[in-house]
Amino acid sequence: MSTAFRFPEGFLWGSAMAGHQVEGDNRHSDWWAYEQAGRLPFRSGSACRHLERYEADLDLARELGLNAHRFSIEWARLEPEPGQCDIAALDHYRRMVAAMRTRGLEPIATLHHFVAPAWFTDRGGWLAADAADRFAAHVERVAAALAGEIRWWLTINEPTVYAKHAYVTGDWPPCVHGQWLASLRAMRAMAEAHRRAYAILHTHRADAQVGLAHSTPYVVPADPRRITDRLAARARDYGLNGLLFDLIGRPARRWLDFIGVNYYCRTVVRWAPRGRAVLLGEDDLGPRPGEARRFSDMGWEVWPQGLTEVLRALARHGLPLLITENGIATEDEAVRRAYLAEHLGALAAAVGAGLPVVGYLHWSLIDNYEWALGFGPRFGLFEVDYATQVRRPRATAADYAAVVRANALAT
Ligand code: FCB
């Protein structure tokens, strides 16, 4: 007879999305401007037409039995020109939140998910002296309108990932290459913006739950016996996982009610002090003795146990942990099913060990525009046929629904 691991009562089960990746026609955004100018390789265009189709998409979430939904409120729609407020856009999000409520989905709103109004980026983006003021004005506007309807907030999605792509690899707006210091300055500004947003949201709603979504790869040394690899891995782990908390300010509970955890993969680091010396190491993607390595279609290493480990490390902050993203880009459904099953196993292990995990949100409900990689990577529980906009459930969706409905995992 099989036994089952039961998740706590009220555990949040959901899926996650971000506006620009699904809505379509985000015309006043920096991404849109860079896409149209040919500075990005793919155009988001009408994406998944989620702006019009959100009710049907939320029906899909309800059909899976989910009780939470992560989405983003697009700053560029609300404030197309500096200081302007598009009331129709605000009403759109109000309707969308109401649609979540009627379907029993707890709304979890992200206020910045990689995308800003074009004017913000044109004026220096996160490097401008008034960046945090600008963001605070956006948060104030949203909070004044929607804090009554939304309790769970994520101020900013993955500041570390954004800063790297925007100012180091340069493949995301503002497409600046090799500027390590600029990326640090951007992160510092985002940390300040987070603190401002935290205060604003609590002014509007005393019981608000305010966090941010932090990208947390599981970082290990290529050869744990070599001190140089260990040092390189430790430096990388600090840069990717620890630094943000220092920038926000410790203790973390002063500025966070929970930590949003985006977990996808393992990063194996080998000492390599040349070139990008700041990192002191490079990714090791080669074979490892005694280990079969698996990679997603995007080259991210599948490493389920890493989820338990990063949750264990983050638990030291003494805050509730919400998995705000976890999923895989693959065309092979057997691979996706295994990924979900193994990561839910790692989640159950974390909860079973007493770590304070309050929910799990799968990335993503439907296939979508994967930033500079366009529509190629497929992350959805539902497949999207972009020619017809038809959504089709993948086998993984039924697997997920079974766990969610039971609030338990067969072991
Ligand atoms: C995360 C992003 C999300 C999505 C996934 C695959 O870094 O937050 O928008 O692109 O990766």
Side-chain angles (χ1 to χ4, degrees):
M1 230 179 77
S2 72
T3 54
F5 175 83
R6 286 202 64 76
F7 287 89
E9 238 8 80
F11 198 77
L12 294 170
W13 292 108
S15 59
M17 287 178 157
H20 190 77
Q21 295 180 272
V22 291
E23 288 176 349
D25 295 304
N26 194 12
R27 289 173 186 272
H28 299 287
S29 68
D30 52 357
W31 273 78
W32 184 271
Y34 279 65
E35 290 164 17
Q36 299 303 313
R39 297 183 68 185
L40 292 167
F42 299 98
R43 293 183 175 184
S44 54
S46 47
C48 309
R49 292 194 177 280
H50 182 68
L51 198 70
E52 305 109 75
R53 306 177 67 104
Y54 69 90
E55 290 185 277
D57 287 337
L58 294 172
D59 283 344
L60 303 177
R62 181 187 48 192
E63 281 157 25
L64 297 185
L66 304 181
N67 61 15
H69 184 71
R70 179 179 172 206
F71 67 109
S72 77
I73 295 177
E74 283 303 300
W75 183 4
R77 290 193 194 282
L78 263 48
E79 193 177 1
E81 297 296 333
Q84 228 182 50
C85 177
D86 186 331
I87 302 291
L90 211 48
D91 282 345
H92 165 80
Y93 288 113
R94 192 179 280 116
R95 283 194 300 275
M96 203 168 136
V97 169
M100 289 175 211
R101 290 265 177 237
T102 56
R103 288 164 180 77
L105 300 165
E106 180 73 32
I108 301 173
T110 313
L111 289 159
H112 181 279
H113 198 123
F114 298 155
V115 179
W119 61 260
F120 175 81
T121 302
D122 287 347
R123 293 175 176 204
W126 290 100
L127 302 184
D130 62 356
D133 295 337
R134 297 288 189 182
F135 182 70
H138 161 56
V139 177
E140 177 64 46
R141 198 175 296 114
V142 175
L146 295 175
E149 329 295 326
I150 304 175
R151 178 161 182 242
W152 289 81
W153 299 90
L154 294 158
T155 56
I156 300 183
N157 184 65
E158 299 188 344
T160 47
V161 173
Y162 171 83
K164 180 184 93 181
H165 285 282
Y167 296 105
V168 181
T169 55
D171 51 341
W172 295 1
C175 298
V176 176
H177 291 264
Q179 299 289 324
W180 284 98
L181 276 178
S183 82
L184 267 178
R185 282 176 51 213
M187 273 178 69
R188 203 177 53 191
M190 290 175 128
E192 186 194 342
H194 166 81
R195 292 192 297 268
R196 298 276 297 275
Y198 182 88
I200 293 167
L201 290 162
H202 277 281
T203 308
H204 285 273
R205 180 165 183 151
D207 71 346
Q209 292 293 299
V210 183
L212 53 69
H214 188 21
S215 162
T216 58
Y218 178 49
V219 183
V220 295
D223 183 347
R225 290 164 310 185
R226 292 182 56 185
I227 185 165
T228 43
D229 284 0
R230 290 207 305 275
L231 279 174
R234 192 176 287 188
R236 180 81 67 86
D237 190 40
Y238 176 70
L240 297 181
N241 289 328
L243 170 64
L244 185 63
F245 292 101
D246 283 328
L247 293 175
I248 290 174
R250 295 184 190 258
R253 64 176 179 280
R254 168 69 187 86
W255 300 109
L256 293 162
D257 301 313
F258 69 96
I259 300 171
V261 182
N262 291 0
Y263 178 79
Y264 288 93
C265 58
R266 176 172 82 161
T267 300
V268 179
V269 185
R270 179 176 298 285
W271 171 261
R274 300 167 309 279
R276 293 186 176 167
V278 183
L279 284 183
L280 299 173
E282 58 193 24
D283 287 3
D284 187 277
L285 303 173
R288 282 165 68 82
E291 269 179 20
R293 301 190 73 179
R294 296 178 285 163
F295 296 90
S296 78
D297 286 358
M298 281 164 60
W300 296 357
E301 186 174 15
V302 176
W303 198 259
Q305 312 89 294
L307 175 59
T308 318
E309 295 308 322
V310 301
L311 290 170
R312 201 188 305 284
L314 288 166
R316 294 194 195 111
H317 293 287
L319 286 166
L321 306 170
L322 172 63
I323 294 158
T324 36
E325 289 182 27
N326 172 246
I328 183 169
T330 181
E331 299 273 356
D332 183 338
E333 206 44 23
V335 167
R336 192 189 318 279
R337 294 181 75 181
Y339 185 98
L340 180 73
E342 291 172 84
H343 285 78
L344 292 181
L347 169 68
V351 175
L355 302 179
V357 188
V358 295
Y360 172 91
L361 312 176
H362 190 78
W363 185 274
S364 183
L365 184 65
I366 58 177
D367 291 336
N368 56 64
Y369 174 79
E370 179 51 32
W371 310 113
L373 300 176
F375 292 102
R378 299 281 183 163
F379 274 96
L381 292 168
F382 289 82
E383 177 194 348
V384 174
D385 176 336
Y386 293 107
T388 60
Q389 290 297 344
V390 168
R391 279 77 160 133
R392 285 186 206 91
R394 293 199 166 103
T396 310
D399 295 350
Y400 188 34
V403 174
V404 168
R405 287 187 200 288
N407 197 33
L409 189 68
T411 51

mmCIF file of all heavy atoms in Angstrom, residues 30 34 42-43 66 69-70 78-79 101 103 115 132 134 151 179 235 238 268 302 354 376:
data_model
loop_
_atom_site.group_PDB
_atom_site.id
_atom_site.type_symbol
_atom_site.label_atom_id
_atom_site.label_comp_id
_atom_site.label_asym_id
_atom_site.label_seq_id
_atom_site.Cartn_x
_atom_site.Cartn_y
_atom_site.Cartn_z
ATOM 1 N N ASP A 30 9.537 49.080 -22.431
ATOM 2 C CA ASP A 30 10.898 49.098 -22.989
ATOM 3 C C ASP A 30 11.131 47.863 -23.863
ATOM 4 O O ASP A 30 11.715 47.944 -24.941
ATOM 5 C CB ASP A 30 11.949 49.220 -21.868
ATOM 6 C CG ASP A 30 11.810 48.196 -20.750
ATOM 7 O OD1 ASP A 30 10.855 47.387 -20.778
ATOM 8 O OD2 ASP A 30 12.665 48.199 -19.841
ATOM 9 N N TYR A 34 12.393 47.918 -27.773
ATOM 10 C CA TYR A 34 13.621 47.246 -28.221
ATOM 11 C C TYR A 34 13.311 46.134 -29.220
ATOM 12 O O TYR A 34 14.083 45.887 -30.147
ATOM 13 C CB TYR A 34 14.404 46.684 -27.014
ATOM 14 C CG TYR A 34 15.244 47.726 -26.310
ATOM 15 C CD1 TYR A 34 14.656 48.810 -25.663
ATOM 16 C CD2 TYR A 34 16.633 47.631 -26.287
ATOM 17 C CE1 TYR A 34 15.420 49.765 -25.022
ATOM 18 C CE2 TYR A 34 17.418 48.589 -25.644
ATOM 19 C CZ TYR A 34 16.799 49.651 -25.017
ATOM 20 O OH TYR A 34 17.564 50.600 -24.385
ATOM 21 N N PHE A 42 13.588 38.522 -30.923
ATOM 22 C CA PHE A 42 12.207 38.086 -31.167
ATOM 23 C C PHE A 42 11.220 39.146 -30.697
ATOM 24 O O PHE A 42 11.465 39.823 -29.709
ATOM 25 C CB PHE A 42 11.921 36.771 -30.411
ATOM 26 C CG PHE A 42 12.812 35.650 -30.840
ATOM 27 C CD1 PHE A 42 13.944 35.332 -30.096
ATOM 28 C CD2 PHE A 42 12.544 34.926 -31.995
ATOM 29 C CE1 PHE A 42 14.784 34.302 -30.489
ATOM 30 C CE2 PHE A 42 13.379 33.897 -32.410
ATOM 31 C CZ PHE A 42 14.509 33.591 -31.652
ATOM 32 N N ARG A 43 10.102 39.223 -31.403
ATOM 33 C CA ARG A 43 9.041 40.155 -31.002
ATOM 34 C C ARG A 43 7.964 39.412 -30.226
ATOM 35 O O ARG A 43 7.561 38.312 -30.628
ATOM 36 C CB ARG A 43 8.425 40.791 -32.241
ATOM 37 C CG ARG A 43 9.405 41.692 -32.941
ATOM 38 C CD ARG A 43 8.783 42.377 -34.134
ATOM 39 N NE ARG A 43 9.753 43.318 -34.691
ATOM 40 C CZ ARG A 43 9.497 44.135 -35.692
ATOM 41 N NH1 ARG A 43 8.302 44.140 -36.256
ATOM 42 N NH2 ARG A 43 10.420 44.958 -36.133
ATOM 43 N N LEU A 66 -6.333 24.577 -8.600
ATOM 44 C CA LEU A 66 -5.363 25.465 -7.946
ATOM 45 C C LEU A 66 -6.102 26.459 -7.046
ATOM 46 O O LEU A 66 -7.283 26.766 -7.265
ATOM 47 C CB LEU A 66 -4.536 26.204 -8.999
ATOM 48 C CG LEU A 66 -3.810 25.300 -10.010
ATOM 49 C CD1 LEU A 66 -3.002 26.145 -11.009
ATOM 50 C CD2 LEU A 66 -2.891 24.319 -9.310
ATOM 51 N N HIS A 69 -2.781 32.227 -7.758
ATOM 52 C CA HIS A 69 -2.324 32.565 -9.113
ATOM 53 C C HIS A 69 -1.388 33.758 -9.072
ATOM 54 O O HIS A 69 -1.738 34.812 -8.558
ATOM 55 C CB HIS A 69 -3.512 32.886 -10.018
ATOM 56 C CG HIS A 69 -3.102 33.136 -11.435
ATOM 57 N ND1 HIS A 69 -2.654 32.126 -12.265
ATOM 58 C CD2 HIS A 69 -3.041 34.274 -12.167
ATOM 59 C CE1 HIS A 69 -2.331 32.637 -13.438
ATOM 60 N NE2 HIS A 69 -2.550 33.942 -13.417
ATOM 61 N N ARG A 70 -0.190 33.563 -9.628
ATOM 62 C CA ARG A 70 0.779 34.663 -9.698
ATOM 63 C C ARG A 70 0.726 35.308 -11.083
ATOM 64 O O ARG A 70 0.746 34.609 -12.097
ATOM 65 C CB ARG A 70 2.195 34.135 -9.409
ATOM 66 C CG ARG A 70 3.221 35.227 -9.502
ATOM 67 C CD ARG A 70 4.640 34.773 -9.208
ATOM 68 N NE ARG A 70 5.502 35.905 -9.533
ATOM 69 C CZ ARG A 70 6.774 35.809 -9.885
ATOM 70 N NH1 ARG A 70 7.361 34.628 -9.955
ATOM 71 N NH2 ARG A 70 7.461 36.882 -10.174
ATOM 72 N N LEU A 78 0.035 50.904 -17.077
ATOM 73 C CA LEU A 78 -0.573 51.830 -16.123
ATOM 74 C C LEU A 78 -0.047 53.246 -16.272
ATOM 75 O O LEU A 78 -0.770 54.202 -16.062
ATOM 76 C CB LEU A 78 -0.298 51.334 -14.692
ATOM 77 C CG LEU A 78 -1.400 50.533 -14.043
ATOM 78 C CD1 LEU A 78 -1.921 49.456 -14.943
ATOM 79 C CD2 LEU A 78 -0.929 49.935 -12.737
ATOM 80 N N GLU A 79 1.228 53.356 -16.624
ATOM 81 C CA GLU A 79 1.845 54.687 -16.720
ATOM 82 C C GLU A 79 2.561 54.805 -18.073
ATOM 83 O O GLU A 79 3.796 54.805 -18.136
ATOM 84 C CB GLU A 79 2.828 54.886 -15.556
ATOM 85 C CG GLU A 79 3.270 56.326 -15.389
ATOM 86 C CD GLU A 79 4.204 56.528 -14.176
ATOM 87 O OE1 GLU A 79 4.530 55.554 -13.474
ATOM 88 O OE2 GLU A 79 4.618 57.688 -13.964
ATOM 89 N N ARG A 101 -10.605 35.820 -7.862
ATOM 90 C CA ARG A 101 -11.385 35.583 -6.638
ATOM 91 C C ARG A 101 -12.584 34.686 -6.914
ATOM 92 O O ARG A 101 -12.845 33.760 -6.150
ATOM 93 C CB ARG A 101 -11.856 36.915 -6.053
ATOM 94 C CG ARG A 101 -10.725 37.741 -5.456
ATOM 95 C CD ARG A 101 -10.598 37.506 -3.960
ATOM 96 N NE ARG A 101 -9.482 38.247 -3.404
ATOM 97 C CZ ARG A 101 -8.473 37.687 -2.738
ATOM 98 N NH1 ARG A 101 -8.446 36.389 -2.526
ATOM 99 N NH2 ARG A 101 -7.480 38.419 -2.275
ATOM 100 N N ARG A 103 -12.899 32.455 -8.934
ATOM 101 C CA ARG A 103 -12.444 31.077 -9.214
ATOM 102 C C ARG A 103 -11.693 30.471 -8.024
ATOM 103 O O ARG A 103 -11.066 29.414 -8.166
ATOM 104 C CB ARG A 103 -11.557 31.074 -10.456
ATOM 105 C CG ARG A 103 -12.340 31.308 -11.744
ATOM 106 C CD ARG A 103 -11.420 31.696 -12.878
ATOM 107 N NE ARG A 103 -12.163 31.920 -14.119
ATOM 108 C CZ ARG A 103 -12.870 33.014 -14.391
ATOM 109 N NH1 ARG A 103 -12.952 33.981 -13.502
ATOM 110 N NH2 ARG A 103 -13.515 33.142 -15.533
ATOM 111 N N VAL A 115 10.179 44.145 -16.894
ATOM 112 C CA VAL A 115 9.716 45.086 -17.918
ATOM 113 C C VAL A 115 9.330 46.412 -17.263
ATOM 114 O O VAL A 115 8.705 46.429 -16.203
ATOM 115 C CB VAL A 115 8.504 44.492 -18.664
ATOM 116 C CG1 VAL A 115 7.989 45.444 -19.725
ATOM 117 C CG2 VAL A 115 8.886 43.148 -19.296
ATOM 118 N N ALA A 132 14.069 54.806 -7.886
ATOM 119 C CA ALA A 132 13.235 54.279 -6.803
ATOM 120 C C ALA A 132 11.998 55.157 -6.590
ATOM 121 O O ALA A 132 10.915 54.648 -6.274
ATOM 122 C CB ALA A 132 14.048 54.155 -5.513
ATOM 123 N N ARG A 134 10.420 56.808 -8.936
ATOM 124 C CA ARG A 134 9.515 56.468 -10.043
ATOM 125 C C ARG A 134 8.762 55.185 -9.748
ATOM 126 O O ARG A 134 7.557 55.078 -9.962
ATOM 127 C CB ARG A 134 10.313 56.278 -11.346
ATOM 128 C CG ARG A 134 11.027 57.504 -11.820
ATOM 129 C CD ARG A 134 10.021 58.476 -12.347
ATOM 130 N NE ARG A 134 10.656 59.590 -13.012
ATOM 131 C CZ ARG A 134 10.003 60.614 -13.526
ATOM 132 N NH1 ARG A 134 8.692 60.669 -13.423
ATOM 133 N NH2 ARG A 134 10.625 61.582 -14.128
ATOM 134 N N ARG A 151 -3.726 40.656 -1.266
ATOM 135 C CA ARG A 151 -2.959 40.592 -0.015
ATOM 136 C C ARG A 151 -1.495 40.236 -0.269
ATOM 137 O O ARG A 151 -0.610 40.720 0.421
ATOM 138 C CB ARG A 151 -3.620 39.550 0.893
ATOM 139 C CG ARG A 151 -2.889 39.367 2.190
ATOM 140 C CD ARG A 151 -3.761 38.717 3.258
ATOM 141 N NE ARG A 151 -2.998 38.629 4.480
ATOM 142 C CZ ARG A 151 -2.673 37.508 5.097
ATOM 143 N NH1 ARG A 151 -3.088 36.344 4.625
ATOM 144 N NH2 ARG A 151 -1.947 37.525 6.191
ATOM 145 N N GLN A 179 29.084 45.667 -18.071
ATOM 146 C CA GLN A 179 29.155 46.723 -17.053
ATOM 147 C C GLN A 179 28.797 46.155 -15.665
ATOM 148 O O GLN A 179 27.687 46.331 -15.173
ATOM 149 C CB GLN A 179 28.209 47.870 -17.407
ATOM 150 C CG GLN A 179 28.540 48.542 -18.724
ATOM 151 C CD GLN A 179 29.824 49.354 -18.637
ATOM 152 O OE1 GLN A 179 30.112 49.959 -17.622
ATOM 153 N NE2 GLN A 179 30.615 49.332 -19.709
ATOM 154 N N ALA A 235 31.906 32.263 -3.844
ATOM 155 C CA ALA A 235 31.756 33.632 -4.358
ATOM 156 C C ALA A 235 30.508 33.732 -5.234
ATOM 157 O O ALA A 235 29.716 34.674 -5.118
ATOM 158 C CB ALA A 235 32.996 34.032 -5.158
ATOM 159 N N TYR A 238 27.387 33.612 -3.187
ATOM 160 C CA TYR A 238 27.109 34.886 -2.524
ATOM 161 C C TYR A 238 26.520 35.879 -3.532
ATOM 162 O O TYR A 238 25.508 36.531 -3.262
ATOM 163 C CB TYR A 238 28.370 35.465 -1.873
ATOM 164 C CG TYR A 238 28.074 36.822 -1.272
ATOM 165 C CD1 TYR A 238 27.267 36.918 -0.141
ATOM 166 C CD2 TYR A 238 28.533 37.994 -1.883
ATOM 167 C CE1 TYR A 238 26.933 38.156 0.378
ATOM 168 C CE2 TYR A 238 28.200 39.232 -1.356
ATOM 169 C CZ TYR A 238 27.397 39.306 -0.224
ATOM 170 O OH TYR A 238 27.045 40.526 0.282
ATOM 171 N N VAL A 268 27.129 24.386 -11.404
ATOM 172 C CA VAL A 268 28.387 23.795 -10.953
ATOM 173 C C VAL A 268 29.505 24.745 -11.365
ATOM 174 O O VAL A 268 29.616 25.115 -12.537
ATOM 175 C CB VAL A 268 28.598 22.402 -11.591
ATOM 176 C CG1 VAL A 268 29.926 21.797 -11.125
ATOM 177 C CG2 VAL A 268 27.429 21.481 -11.246
ATOM 178 N N VAL A 302 18.945 20.013 -14.438
ATOM 179 C CA VAL A 302 17.864 19.513 -13.585
ATOM 180 C C VAL A 302 18.483 18.901 -12.334
ATOM 181 O O VAL A 302 19.285 17.959 -12.436
ATOM 182 C CB VAL A 302 17.048 18.447 -14.355
ATOM 183 C CG1 VAL A 302 15.980 17.837 -13.455
ATOM 184 C CG2 VAL A 302 16.435 19.044 -15.617
ATOM 185 N N GLY A 354 10.320 20.309 8.260
ATOM 186 C CA GLY A 354 9.913 21.427 9.109
ATOM 187 C C GLY A 354 10.270 22.796 8.553
ATOM 188 O O GLY A 354 10.134 23.812 9.247
ATOM 189 N N GLY A 376 10.308 29.819 -28.445
ATOM 190 C CA GLY A 376 10.847 28.463 -28.551
ATOM 191 C C GLY A 376 10.667 27.615 -27.294
ATOM 192 O O GLY A 376 10.036 26.551 -27.338
#
